[in-house]
Amino acid sequence: MTDAIQVERMPATMRAARFVMTLEVAFSLVGLAIMIGTIAFAFSGPFLLLLLYTAVITAFMCWLLSRWSSRRKRVRWGAIAVEVVSVGGFLLMNAIDGGFGWVRLVSPGTLIPLALVIMLLTPSAARWFDR
């Protein structure tokens, strides 16, 4: 007979964090597709830097999601770092653009990554990624 292997269930906060990060990646890929179409139409240097920044953040998020089930500490801390850089980049782009204000601080571009950071800093996340 085959012995059943007991696997620890992923906490609900980690399932939610993985789902939200997957949604972030999906929206980033849509945004990248739009940006590639725009850059093909009207090429500019700053827009190319924005495209590169978005592509790198999206690539790191995809890599972290692919490693999520490994339960390693570096995946957790990498996800926290990517989300912090994502918030920082969003706020920096808005500050440079001149549209920085309270409305931008409570937009999904800041609240979603900050919520992910909070979820990843919970004790249940620390236990889950303690490998």
Side-chain angles (χ1 to χ4, degrees):
M1 289 202 307
T2 315
D3 292 330
I5 298 173
Q6 295 293 329
V7 178
E8 183 183 351
R9 283 185 49 97
M10 186 183 302
T13 55
M14 290 303 88
R15 285 194 306 268
R18 184 178 62 182
F19 177 74
V20 171
M21 192 177 264
T22 303
L23 284 178
E24 271 188 323
V25 167
F27 285 122
S28 292
L29 290 174
V30 170
L32 279 171
I34 292 169
M35 291 170 85
I36 289 171
T38 305
I39 206 165
F41 179 71
F43 182 79
S44 70
F47 197 71
L48 186 61
L49 288 175
L50 178 63
L51 177 72
L52 180 65
Y53 166 77
T54 306
V56 168
I57 291 291
T58 305
F60 275 128
M61 280 190 207
C62 288
W63 182 79
L64 289 167
L65 281 172
S66 71
R67 301 291 180 191
W68 198 269
S69 60
S70 72
R71 300 175 56 184
R72 295 190 180 176
K73 289 181 183 181
R74 67 183 172 118
V75 173
R76 175 181 173 230
W77 289 108
I80 291 170
V82 165
E83 296 300 330
V84 167
V85 168
S86 177
V87 169
F90 179 77
L91 293 176
L92 181 65
M93 284 185 277
N94 284 307
I96 290 171
D97 190 31
F100 191 72
W102 286 105
V103 175
R104 297 292 180 167
L105 287 176
V106 294
S107 70
T110 56
L111 293 181
I112 292 173
L114 287 177
L116 277 168
V117 168
I118 290 169
M119 282 191 265
L120 289 168
L121 289 175
T122 60
S124 63
R127 283 191 302 272
W128 172 254
F129 286 107
D130 190 24
R131 188 172 164 193

